[in-house]
């Protein structure tokens, strides 16, 4: 019996391991696009998903061939030992050190859970070692040498996976090569309300309510409670309407609401719960964006008279001069207008501001005194605005080609940015992009990318804007407000 095992055990093991690798490689190859996408979502090896997706398939086929040839069977068994050790340590790292357990990929992996597959791998690892030991002893090799070589092969394979894991973490979170990491169910849709029309925009959040402005009826404040149950509208009465308004906008910062039109320029303020708004600023500054810092202090984006280039400015109604330009914040690349176009938002909790460029991969973190705290990059690779502009005879600049947009807007809460990207990352299916909006999550206190998630379109229309209170994310999609509960710890 022992002689029979010694005679046929090695060949049997070699055949079974070869079949395992052929089956696994073939399954990956037949559904290669899905395999790449799933591997790109790996929380351990996302940054190397491209090369690994090709490399693993080629290596598995080569090892299978080595196992089927008598002269190369021992080398094939050692290669199998290394490959199985790499797979085993990868699964162990997923189970013990990963932020989440991703979908499995590749043949048998689709049928087994991660714990079951760990046991499966350990079994084949031991069986392969037994095959190496028997074949080596048959060829006259010393037992100690065989054991030492097997240990070295196993250790090197494990170390390679660990080093790739550590390197991938640094690349994905700090030096991303535009490979997104999709988080494991970070949000769950748990409410929707039909607003009737799609002309609403978020004006702010206060006292458990979400407030909206409306581009077609700008003199109305609309609000809905966070449970999406009670929706009300209030008409605003202005103390002075003798202005040629072009675009009245609404902002909320408890306990006040603000109505403004920087083209005039004018700012009104009223108390929430009241319908009357009084003029608090007129003629102090022209601007095209405003964010509220406190009841009399604002962050503006305006244009300099000297060259019409965009710049950030502070407006403080309690000091003289009231307006102060902060020319060092926005950095010109092409024309100083389109290339630095972006969105300015403040966080109601910390008072910090964030400016995100539309046409390049950067956002700027400012404190309430307009000091630049950090300049961080998003995960895409567009460092320079890809735009083409022409200067008209009257000094104005116009785009003379479609712009390459990177970011489309964002929400800010605490030290998190929920950024709506306009670019597809590596290994992401085009079909999903056509049906969804992609949200990338970053920290504002360090160069760190947390992960990404999708918000589905409605009636062929994508999300127009979003806000967050830290517990939920609210998105405007077509004529609906949709509420998504944030899973505890999802963005830590």
């Amino acid at each position: 019996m022992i002689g029979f095992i010694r005679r046929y055990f090695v060949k049997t093991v070699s055949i079974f391991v070869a079949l395992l690798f052929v089956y696994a490689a073939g399954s990956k190859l037949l559904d290669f696009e899905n395999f790449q996408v799933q591997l790109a979502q790996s929380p351990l090896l996302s940054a190397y998903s491209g090369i690994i997706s090709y490399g693993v398939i080629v290596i598995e086929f080569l090892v299978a061939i080595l196992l089927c040839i008598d002269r190369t069977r021992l080398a094939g068994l050692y290669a199998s030992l290394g490959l199985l050790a790499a797979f085993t340590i990868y699964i162990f790292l997923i189970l013990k050190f990963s932020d989440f357990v991703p979908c499995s990929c590749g043949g048998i992996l689709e049928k087994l859970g991660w714990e079951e597959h760990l046991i499966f791998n350990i079994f084949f690892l031991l069986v392969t070692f037994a095959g190496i030991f028997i074949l080596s002893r048959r060829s006259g090799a010393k037992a100690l040498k065989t054991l030492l070589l097997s240990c070295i092969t196993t250790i090197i394979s494990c170390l390679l996976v660990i080093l790739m894991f550590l390197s991938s973490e640094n690349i994905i979170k700090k030096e991303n090569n535009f490979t997104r990491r999709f988080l494991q169910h970070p949000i769950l849709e748990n409410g929707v309300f039909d607003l009737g029309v799609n002309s609403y925009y978020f004006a702010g959040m206060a006292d458990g309510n979400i407030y909206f402005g409306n581009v077609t009826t700008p003199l109305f404040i609309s609000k809905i409670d966070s449970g999406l149950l009670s929706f009300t509208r209030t008409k605003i009465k202005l103390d002075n309407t003798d202005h040629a308004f072009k675009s009245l906008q609404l902002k909320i910062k408890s306990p006040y609401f603000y109505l403004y039109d920087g083209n005039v320029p004018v700012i009104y303020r009223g108390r929430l719960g009241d319908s009357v708004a009084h003029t608090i600023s007129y003629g102090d500054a022209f601007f095209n964006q405003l964010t509220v810092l406190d009841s009399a202090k604002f962050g503006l984006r305006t244009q300099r008279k000297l060259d019409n280039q965009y710049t950030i400015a502070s407006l403080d109604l309690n000091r003289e001069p009231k307006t102060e330009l902060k020319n060092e914040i926005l950095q010109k690349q092409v024309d100083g207008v389109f290339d630095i176009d972006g969105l300015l938002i403040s966080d109601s909790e910390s008072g910090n501001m964030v400016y995100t460029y539309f046409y390049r991969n950067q956002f700027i973190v400012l404190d309430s005194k307009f000091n630049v705290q950090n300049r961080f990059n998003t995960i895409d690779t567009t460092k320079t605005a890809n735009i083409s502009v022409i200067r008209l005879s009257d000094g104005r600049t116009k785009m003379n080609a479609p712009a390459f947009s990177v970011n489309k807007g964002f929400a800010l809460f605490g030290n998190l940015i929920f950024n709506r990207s306009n670019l597809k990352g590596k290994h992401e299916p085009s079909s999903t992009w056509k049906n969804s909006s992609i949200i990338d999550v970053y920290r504002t206190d360090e160069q760190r990318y947390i992960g990404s998630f999708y918000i589905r379109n409605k009636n062929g229309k994508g999300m127009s804007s979003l806000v967050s209170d830290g517990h939920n994310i609210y998105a405007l999609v077509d004529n609906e407000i949709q509420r998504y509960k944030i899973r505890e710890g999802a963005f830590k």
Side-chain angles (χ1 to χ4, degrees):
M1 182 66 179
I2 295 176
F4 178 83
I5 293 175
R6 286 180 176 176
R7 183 176 180 182
Y8 294 104
F9 179 80
V10 173
K11 183 173 290 187
T12 301
V13 168
S14 299
I15 291 173
F16 272 104
V17 174
L19 288 173
L20 173 67
F21 287 145
V22 169
Y23 173 72
S27 299
K28 298 181 181 77
L29 193 60
L30 289 173
D31 196 9
F32 185 69
E33 183 181 15
N34 182 53
F35 170 58
Q36 273 199 323
V37 170
Q38 290 178 324
L39 191 58
Q41 308 319 314
S42 164
L44 302 188
L45 304 176
S46 305
Y48 300 107
S49 58
I51 188 172
I52 290 176
S53 62
Y54 292 100
V56 167
I57 294 174
V58 172
I59 291 172
E60 286 178 334
F61 277 129
L62 287 176
V63 171
I65 293 172
L66 293 175
L67 289 169
C68 294
I69 302 174
D70 290 340
R71 289 182 301 173
T72 60
R73 182 163 293 140
L74 183 60
L77 286 170
Y78 274 113
S80 301
L81 185 72
L83 200 56
L84 288 166
F87 292 158
T88 303
I89 192 65
Y90 170 73
I91 296 171
F92 177 78
L93 291 172
I94 284 283
L95 293 173
K96 298 297 181 181
F97 299 102
S98 170
D99 294 333
F100 63 92
V101 178
C103 297
S104 57
C105 53
I108 292 174
L109 272 173
E110 295 284 1
K111 309 301 180 183
L112 298 178
W114 287 92
E115 292 84 358
E116 291 83 359
H117 194 75
L118 180 63
I119 297 172
F120 181 88
N121 266 25
I122 292 173
F123 171 77
F124 269 91
L125 194 69
L126 295 174
V127 169
T128 301
F129 172 71
I132 291 173
F133 191 81
I134 293 173
L135 188 58
S136 298
R137 294 288 292 163
R138 188 184 298 167
S139 62
K142 294 183 178 181
L144 182 60
K145 180 180 178 181
T146 300
L147 180 62
L148 184 62
L149 188 57
S150 297
C151 289
I152 291 173
T153 301
T154 302
I155 291 171
I156 290 176
S157 297
C158 292
L159 284 176
L160 283 174
V161 174
I162 293 171
L163 288 173
M164 290 178 72
F165 158 55
L166 296 174
S167 175
S168 180
E169 284 291 285
N170 183 68
I171 291 172
I172 289 295
K173 293 185 176 180
K174 296 186 178 181
E175 302 172 12
N176 197 283
N177 59 358
F178 209 11
T179 302
R180 284 193 170 89
R181 170 177 295 174
F182 287 94
L183 301 171
Q184 190 81 346
H185 308 299
I187 60 172
L188 175 66
E189 184 176 349
N190 68 345
V192 62
F193 186 90
D194 188 349
L195 297 170
V197 295
N198 60 6
S199 51
Y200 285 103
Y201 61 88
F202 286 119
M205 306 181 72
D207 308 319
N209 295 307
I210 303 109
Y211 289 85
F212 309 93
N214 193 309
V215 295
T216 58
T217 55
L219 291 178
F220 279 86
I221 297 179
S222 301
K223 75 172 180 179
I224 192 169
D225 65 289
S226 58
L228 305 186
L229 298 174
S230 176
F231 180 77
T232 60
R233 299 180 74 211
T234 302
K235 187 172 183 178
I236 304 171
K237 300 176 183 177
L238 304 180
D239 66 348
N240 186 350
T241 59
D242 190 22
H243 302 299
F245 297 126
K246 292 185 178 180
S247 178
L248 276 171
Q249 298 288 313
L250 178 70
K251 277 283 189 342
I252 305 295
K253 184 174 175 62
S254 183
Y256 300 106
F257 67 87
Y258 301 83
L259 205 66
Y260 59 91
D261 186 340
N263 297 293
V264 174
V266 63
I267 302 174
Y268 300 92
R269 184 180 67 202
R271 187 171 290 272
L272 289 172
D274 192 2
S275 61
V276 179
H278 301 276
T279 303
I280 59 172
S281 172
Y282 178 68
D284 295 318
F286 289 90
F287 55 90
N288 41 50
Q289 285 190 37
L290 176 146
T291 188
V292 183
L293 301 179
D294 62 34
S295 60
K297 187 176 180 181
F298 308 89
L300 309 176
R301 194 190 71 175
T302 184
Q303 288 183 280
R304 299 194 300 241
K305 291 182 179 180
L306 178 65
D307 52 16
N308 287 326
Q309 292 185 10
Y310 285 152
T311 187
I312 300 297
S314 67
L315 173 62
D316 191 337
L317 303 180
N318 294 326
R319 75 175 184 198
E320 291 294 339
K322 296 179 181 179
T323 305
E324 182 181 354
L325 299 183
K326 307 291 184 179
N327 294 322
E328 71 283 356
I329 295 175
L330 302 184
Q331 297 177 330
K332 174 183 175 181
Q333 290 183 335
V334 182
D335 67 326
V337 178
F338 295 109
D339 64 325
I340 58 177
D341 196 8
L343 183 62
L344 178 67
I345 293 180
S346 61
D347 175 47
S348 59
E349 299 296 323
S350 65
N352 289 343
M353 293 170 281
V354 171
Y355 187 88
T356 297
Y357 291 109
F358 288 146
Y359 303 114
R360 57 174 120 157
N361 66 343
Q362 188 182 88
F363 60 90
I364 309 166
V365 183
L366 311 169
D367 63 20
S368 58
K369 296 181 180 179
F370 294 84
N371 297 310
V372 175
Q373 299 297 296
N374 291 295
R375 298 179 187 270
F376 291 141
N377 295 113
T378 56
I379 59 174
D380 61 89
T381 55
T382 310
K383 294 183 178 180
T384 302
N386 187 4
I387 60 174
S388 178
V389 299
I390 185 172
R391 183 174 292 275
L392 304 179
S393 58
D394 60 3
R396 292 179 298 158
T397 55
K398 295 284 186 180
M399 285 194 183
N400 62 352
F404 186 77
S405 177
V406 175
N407 305 305
K408 300 182 72 172
F410 69 100
L412 181 65
F413 181 83
N415 61 2
L416 293 178
I417 289 180
F418 300 96
N419 184 64
R420 184 184 177 192
S421 176
N422 197 43
L423 298 179
K424 186 164 71 74
K426 290 184 178 179
H427 314 306
E428 293 174 17
S430 300
S431 57
T432 306
W433 266 87
K434 293 177 181 178
N435 301 316
S436 308
S437 296
I438 184 72
I439 309 299
D440 299 324
V441 186
Y442 304 91
R443 293 181 64 97
T444 62
D445 55 347
E446 56 180 311
Q447 177 67 64
R448 184 171 291 273
Y449 162 64
I450 304 298
S452 303
F453 59 90
Y454 287 112
I455 290 181
R456 299 296 176 184
N457 296 351
K458 177 180 171 56
N459 298 326
K461 296 181 180 179
M463 181 194 69
S464 59
S465 59
L466 75 164
V467 294
S468 176
D469 59 5
H471 303 289
N472 298 284
I473 290 174
Y474 300 89
L476 287 175
V477 184
D478 195 22
N479 59 325
E480 292 182 348
I481 177 172
Q482 299 175 357
R483 183 182 63 196
Y484 297 87
K485 182 176 177 57
I486 299 174
R487 179 173 56 81
E488 186 176 353
F491 302 128
K492 291 183 180 179

